[in-house]
Amino acid sequence: MINEDGTPARRIMVYGVTGSGKTTLARRLGERTGLPWHAVDDLTWNRPWVPVPMDEQRRRIDAICAGDAWILDHAYGAWLDVVLERVEVIIALDYPRLLSLGRLIRRCLVNVITRRPTCNGNIETWRTTFRRDSIIWWHFKSCGPKSARIRRWAADPEGPRVIVFRRPAEAERWLSELDRDSVA
């Protein structure tokens, strides 16, 4: 990924609807490029499912974004401005709702059954998975606005470069063809 001025991109955000695979792609992109990646959910959730206070979230994200090189796997609206001030490239996963919802439900079920820790060591339960403030309900609430935001970013010639993927196979192909030297 080369910036418009010919320099390699070093500040990248992976953005998309809940369940689209942002964290997995960001981690793999970090492994491929050598850039440090940060799991946003680990920075914004304490145990047991207690959100980090917003001012502390903003401080943590600001510290990361002040660096010369980073990959974030998301950006919450409350501090999106911090990321947008410094990001060079946005990798946008704008997958169909049913695809991302299916991935999310499958992930939640596996996490509940295996008790695999997520988000800074939190454990998903049947109750946390299906209550009104769960990640599944959040998917329904946020999918449309996130897709609309991706379209606005992609259409904005003044903003950072946006690479939009509509299917997982597109992102996989892009990642496999990515030249390590064109990023880091």
Side-chain angles (χ1 to χ4, degrees):
M1 282 179 297
I2 303 293
N3 289 316
E4 289 182 12
D5 65 1
T7 61
R10 298 182 50 77
R11 296 185 304 275
I12 302 164
M13 175 176 61
V14 178
Y15 188 86
V17 300
T18 305
S20 59
K22 299 176 300 290
T23 300
T24 300
L25 182 61
R27 177 185 48 77
R28 292 178 62 208
L29 183 59
E31 291 167 356
R32 179 122 177 124
T33 64
L35 297 174
W37 79 276
H38 305 273
V40 167
D41 286 343
D42 287 344
L43 301 168
T44 56
W45 288 98
N46 289 323
R47 284 187 240 161
W49 293 109
V50 175
V52 171
M54 206 51 70
D55 59 333
E56 177 61 14
Q57 287 185 32
R58 192 172 181 86
R59 187 198 66 72
R60 290 175 181 183
I61 297 302
D62 191 47
I64 290 167
C65 291
D68 291 331
W70 44 264
I71 299 171
L72 289 174
D73 67 353
H74 195 43
Y76 293 174
W79 40 259
L80 180 58
D81 60 307
V82 174
V83 179
L84 291 178
E85 286 176 8
R86 299 267 298 149
V87 70
E88 295 173 316
V89 175
I90 298 171
I91 308 300
L93 306 181
D94 195 17
Y95 300 158
R97 179 187 293 263
L98 286 179
L99 175 70
S100 56
L101 179 60
R103 285 178 155 197
L104 179 62
I105 291 171
R106 186 172 44 253
R107 182 185 83 196
C108 288
L109 293 176
V110 167
N111 287 347
V112 167
I113 292 167
T114 65
R115 300 195 47 80
R116 181 174 59 194
T118 65
C119 302
N120 217 9
N122 283 295
I123 303 292
E124 291 181 86
T125 64
W126 293 113
R127 192 174 130 251
T128 60
T129 299
F130 293 106
R131 66 185 187 199
R132 280 304 248 183
D133 64 347
S134 74
I135 193 167
I136 292 173
W137 287 109
W138 178 248
H139 174 88
F140 285 102
K141 184 178 178 180
S142 65
C143 187
K146 287 179 181 178
S147 289
R149 180 177 281 153
I150 288 169
R151 287 190 299 276
R152 282 192 310 273
W153 285 340
D156 182 2
E158 303 297 317
R161 180 176 176 206
V162 180
I163 301 171
V164 180
F165 298 114
R166 306 248 184 253
R167 296 273 178 206
E170 295 172 355
E172 282 296 319
R173 188 170 34 260
W174 172 81
L175 187 62
S176 70
E177 294 172 357
L178 188 65
D179 179 8
R180 182 181 177 105
D181 294 331
S182 69
V183 180

